[in-house]
Amino acid sequence: MAAADRTGPVVRTPYGAVRGRLEHGVAVFRGIPYAAPPFGPHRFRPPVPPEPWHGVRDALAFGPTAPKPPYSDAFAQYLSDPVVPGDDCLNLNVWTPEPGPGARLPVLVWLHGGALTRGSSSVPVYDGRTFARDGVVCVSVNYRLGVEGYGLFPDAPANPGLRDQLAALRWVHRAIEAFGGDPDRITLAGQSAGAISVGALIAAPQAQGLFRRAVLQSGAPEASDRDKVRRMVRRMAARLKVPATAEAFAAVDRELLLRTQAEVGRLSSPVLGGPAFGVVVDGDLVPRDPLQVLVEGRAAAGAELLMGWTRDEYRLWLVPGGLLERVDRLGAVALAGAMARCRAGHEVPRGYRALRPDAGTAEIVGQMVTDHLLRRPLHRLADARPGTSYVYEFAWPSLRPGLGACHALELGFVFDSGDTPESARLAGENVPRELAEAMHAAWVRFVTEGRPGWEPWGPAHPVQVFGDGEPHIAHGPRDAELALWAAPGAAPVEPAPAVAPVAGPSAGSARTTEPRSVARLLRRSGGARRR
């Protein structure tokens, strides 16, 4: 270590002192443990506090990432996913302009996306330096992924990955004042799977009082079908030839477990469903469906919410590997799969065709599923919280061919990290600086003041559109499509039932059915995964 590193800022955490580094006028602390390594006796169990340490611990490099399979080649050309080896993967990073008590700066806690199977806090696009530069203490978190974090077993508590996030949030609430943050002004934010996690946490009774406001980017509060998650575990167990228990899985070689998870999950698709890991109602941390709890106003009352989507979310799910063209060729078969996925009657796709007469099947399918997964539930959430909800749409198209304004594209603009090579993988080179400055400034305002700079949600459905040209308000830009779901034959989404705290055998869970030809299509193309 260079001598200059020994002169970096030192901050005391609840478990010991850490030394960071000054970078471009910002103090950065990386790889701080907030819980013990989740292996050995702690594997598949809720997180426990880390062992305290004596002296000063260097916090100069990103800590180990949670075990995860790599992205397929088709997705790796667009998405960065660094791997840092080691067991101490329950760690976080802090960027602050003013370490030390007394500053009382607003705090942003970031939960990364990656379908709950990939991603980490060390993705360069999530560099918190720009938030710290603008007076916000930024914290990014690693948490358990895949079967380690979201497998459903009869002999272990559910949702250990979500419990990791809760432990990190508690750490931040307790420790952030020493880094210059204000524990009473914490904003919990995430994208995709990270936003789904945010939704679960702001609805969780155990998380109340740990945050002040929340950001949900391209992810809505939801509870996954328990049988869908259990099918992932059972299929893995069948391939491994072991019982579908946490005890048996803990005895399997870690690399073999990851390979098996990747093989079983390759058909999981946001567009057409399939077995996948997700947050489930567990009767404890998640006692009821999070969306239902939040719509009823039973949690986070008065908390400001910033939420939205990208115009062409589905293109990241369909463009890599040429799946978009294959869905277009399948035509009616793919449309039937999307109707099953969304539990929609024939009136819905007919209405989309009328509104988009020049659209191909892939666009119809993609927008239907996007509305089902994201826009409908976020509209419900905003309708339940008028005056304190702010909604946006990101509509700037990527400079990479075919991607449009796809899923995850807004991240480089929110973090103002578009000049990184990792951001350019998805956005292309020379992205518009004015758009990045406007979007990043809106997030800073929301974290700081609770208002991003446009009117809150109300009867006129104002949506701030970030696209080509100046950001502007559009009133009800998705209302025509979403009204189709109220037509006769369009079934509403049923909330997940409450269950006992310890996961038992699933009873009465509905399976999502998919036409066999669609499943074969996904198998040939290598599948598509939500970021």
Side-chain angles (χ1 to χ4, degrees), residues 112-505:
H112 66 80
L116 298 178
T117 57
R118 294 173 172 85
S120 77
S121 65
S122 56
V123 173
V125 178
Y126 306 147
D127 190 338
R129 175 176 57 86
T130 54
F131 278 101
R133 174 199 67 195
D134 294 329
V136 173
V137 178
C138 184
V139 181
S140 60
V141 178
N142 280 344
Y143 54 92
R144 277 175 283 183
L145 303 169
V147 72
E148 301 273 0
Y150 296 91
L152 196 52
F153 299 101
D155 57 337
N159 300 315
L162 189 69
R163 296 174 192 273
D164 295 342
Q165 297 167 4
L166 177 62
L169 190 55
R170 285 172 170 159
W171 184 99
V172 171
H173 196 266
R174 180 181 175 189
I176 204 63
E177 188 172 1
F179 291 86
D182 185 347
D184 295 324
R185 287 202 292 166
I186 294 173
T187 297
L188 184 60
Q191 185 267 347
S192 194
I196 292 171
S197 302
V198 169
L201 287 170
I202 62 178
Q206 296 180 39
Q208 302 309 296
L210 297 178
F211 64 94
R212 183 164 177 175
R213 48 187 68 106
V215 180
L216 297 92
Q217 297 176 213
S218 298
E222 68 175 31
S224 291
D225 185 326
R226 292 170 62 84
D227 191 57
K228 178 186 286 188
V229 178
R230 194 172 292 282
R231 270 187 283 156
M232 280 288 288
V233 174
R234 287 172 176 162
R235 292 182 184 185
M236 289 181 65
R239 284 176 178 261
L240 293 166
K241 297 181 172 57
V242 301
T245 64
E247 181 181 14
F249 273 50
V252 176
D253 174 78
R254 199 180 301 176
E255 290 303 316
L256 175 59
L257 199 62
L258 286 176
R259 289 198 302 272
T260 305
Q261 175 184 302
E263 290 167 2
V264 170
R266 73 186 186 281
L267 298 184
S268 176
S269 165
V271 176
L272 294 172
F277 292 112
V279 174
V280 297
V281 173
D282 58 18
D284 176 24
L285 179 57
V286 188
R288 294 181 58 217
D289 178 84
L291 179 61
Q292 198 68 21
V293 170
L294 292 170
V295 166
E296 292 172 358
R298 297 189 180 185
E304 300 98 342
L305 303 179
L306 171 59
M307 49 193 164
W309 50 78
T310 70
R311 185 189 62 198
D312 308 311
E313 300 271 3
Y314 68 95
R315 287 188 169 269
L316 184 63
W317 307 330
L318 294 183
V319 168
L323 188 55
L324 186 141
E325 291 80 5
R326 289 177 175 145
V327 170
D328 271 336
R329 286 200 299 270
L330 275 181
V333 175
L335 202 58
M339 290 168 60
R341 172 80 168 99
C342 302
R343 288 180 283 177
H346 290 280
E347 298 84 356
V348 175
R350 280 203 294 265
Y352 277 77
R353 288 284 190 198
L355 291 169
R356 302 167 181 267
D358 298 325
T361 299
E363 182 178 349
I364 298 296
V365 166
Q367 294 293 1
M368 276 181 57
V369 174
T370 300
D371 287 348
H372 171 70
L373 291 176
L374 300 178
R375 297 185 183 119
R376 288 181 70 202
L378 291 178
H379 262 242
R380 284 186 63 196
L381 185 54
D383 283 342
R385 293 166 178 258
T388 58
S389 298
Y390 300 86
V391 179
Y392 73 89
E393 175 170 298
F394 184 79
W396 179 81
S398 170
L399 302 175
R400 298 289 304 273
L403 290 179
C406 69
H407 193 64
L409 182 60
E410 89 284 7
L411 290 169
F413 294 83
V414 168
F415 280 86
D416 194 8
S417 56
D419 57 349
T420 63
E422 291 78 11
S423 180
R425 286 190 187 187
L426 201 59
E429 303 285 350
N430 301 317
V431 300
R433 287 290 313 144
E434 298 82 3
L435 182 60
E437 290 169 359
M439 200 165 190
H440 175 72
W443 264 241
V444 169
R445 282 193 298 270
F446 180 76
V447 173
T448 304
E449 306 168 5
R451 299 181 299 275
W454 63 87
E455 62 183 295
W457 190 259
H461 293 180
V463 175
Q464 178 81 340
V465 178
F466 294 96
D468 288 323
E470 288 290 322
H472 63 278
I473 284 287
H475 290 96
R478 300 291 173 176
D479 285 5
E481 290 94 332
L482 298 183
L484 298 170
W485 298 84
V493 177
E494 298 295 333
V499 297
V502 178

Side-chain angles (χ1 to χ4, degrees), residues 16-87:
V18 293
R19 176 185 290 107
R21 175 185 286 130
L22 288 175
E23 299 176 2
H24 308 288
V26 168
V28 187
F29 302 81
R30 296 182 173 93
I32 306 172
Y34 65 84
F39 301 104
H42 305 309
R43 200 167 185 192
F44 299 107
R45 313 305 300 180
V48 298
E51 286 291 329
W53 58 89
H54 299 289
V56 179
R57 177 179 181 140
D58 283 335
L60 305 173
F62 287 113
T65 50
K68 56 187 176 177
Y71 281 116
S72 68
D73 291 343
F75 283 88
Q77 65 176 309
Y78 298 113
L79 304 175
S80 172
D81 198 13
V83 173
V84 181
D87 287 351

